[in-house]
Amino acid sequence: MFRDWIDELFRDHYQSYQLRRSAIHPPGLEVTLKVLEIISKRVNYLQDSTLSAAPPLHILVSGGSVTSGIQCGINHVGIAQPVGLKEDNDCAWPARLEHLFNRVLFDGKKVVKVSNLAVGGSNSEIGKALLEYHLFPDSFQQPDIVIWGHAVNDSYEKDKARAYFESIPGFVNAAHKLRICDDHLPLGRFIKPQIGL
């Protein structure tokens, strides 16, 4: 179902130079093993409900308007939308990421949960406050992965040095303090929202 869409996406829209940074800076072995352990426990639990309950891998996404889904229903590149995605705010890339993981990799099972806490116009300072003060919905599960998508709004800051040397590291520190008793989580990833993941 997705193969043609993914082939077209990577052939025509995502070039290798855009993906290079993620390949050059992969997460460490301990973090990767921890994430795989969470996924494995969840998959095993979904196959055998007599096992201890295992929550889905939780990905928290923080960013600006592109991440929150502003005008995400507008398709500028002409790629047909995959079947099964909703036409409303669920078309933002974080919802597509959850859909991609669960439908494509895990055969429709709810193994990954993506929470989109992006706010249009927000920068890393706002994202940091969201994390530091736990401004999350009720019954919010602590994230295993935090994705930062404030690059566009941070680039518009007048004081670039403050944005790059204080705000962004402050966001990263706030993300790591979410799971203070776990040296390996949450895994932090940075994205450039203009190109998605």
Side-chain angles (χ1 to χ4, degrees):
M1 169 170 88
F2 283 94
R3 181 165 302 284
D4 294 337
W5 178 75
I6 292 170
D7 287 345
E8 184 179 346
L9 186 67
F10 281 97
R11 182 183 64 242
D12 298 336
H13 302 288
Y14 291 140
Q15 303 301 316
S16 61
Y17 73 90
Q18 294 171 314
L19 301 172
R20 190 175 306 135
R21 179 169 281 175
S22 291
I24 292 171
H25 302 288
L29 178 62
E30 293 88 5
V31 175
T32 303
L33 291 174
K34 188 75 168 183
V35 168
L36 290 174
E37 178 185 351
I38 293 166
I39 291 171
S40 176
K41 285 181 179 179
R42 178 66 177 177
V43 169
N44 290 336
Y45 170 71
L46 292 173
Q47 292 172 348
D48 181 1
S49 61
T50 63
L51 297 173
S52 299
L57 177 74
H58 186 205
I59 301 172
L60 178 147
V61 180
S62 179
S65 60
V66 173
T67 304
S68 71
I70 191 79
Q71 296 183 346
C72 66
I74 299 170
N75 187 341
H76 297 285
V77 293
I79 297 175
Q81 182 168 312
V83 177
L85 290 178
K86 296 179 182 174
E87 292 293 327
D88 55 331
N89 286 340
D90 285 343
C91 64
W93 71 259
R96 291 173 181 252
L97 178 65
E98 180 176 317
H99 184 81
L100 181 68
F101 275 122
N102 291 328
R103 297 277 300 186
V104 176
L105 297 179
F106 299 113
D107 199 28
K109 295 180 179 89
K110 182 95 173 164
V111 175
V112 176
K113 178 182 193 271
V114 178
S115 296
N116 187 354
L117 300 181
V119 177
S122 67
N123 58 16
S124 291
E125 264 316 298
I126 294 170
K128 176 183 143 191
L130 177 104
L131 300 178
E132 280 183 337
Y133 296 106
H134 297 258
L135 301 175
F136 307 134
D138 291 338
S139 70
F140 188 79
Q141 173 192 340
Q142 289 296 335
D144 303 305
I145 298 173
V146 176
I147 299 177
W148 170 90
H150 295 281
V152 173
N153 294 332
D154 283 344
S155 71
Y156 289 117
E157 292 294 320
K158 288 181 182 177
D159 186 352
K160 302 277 192 253
R162 182 176 180 275
Y164 299 133
F165 298 113
E166 292 178 30
S167 298
I168 295 171
F171 178 90
V172 172
N173 289 334
H176 284 291
K177 288 179 183 175
L178 289 173
R179 304 273 296 259
I180 201 151
C181 294
D182 193 332
D183 292 337
H184 306 302
L185 294 176
L187 166 63
R189 299 307 308 158
F190 295 89
I191 59 123
K192 190 174 177 183
Q194 300 94 322
I195 62 167
L197 297 173

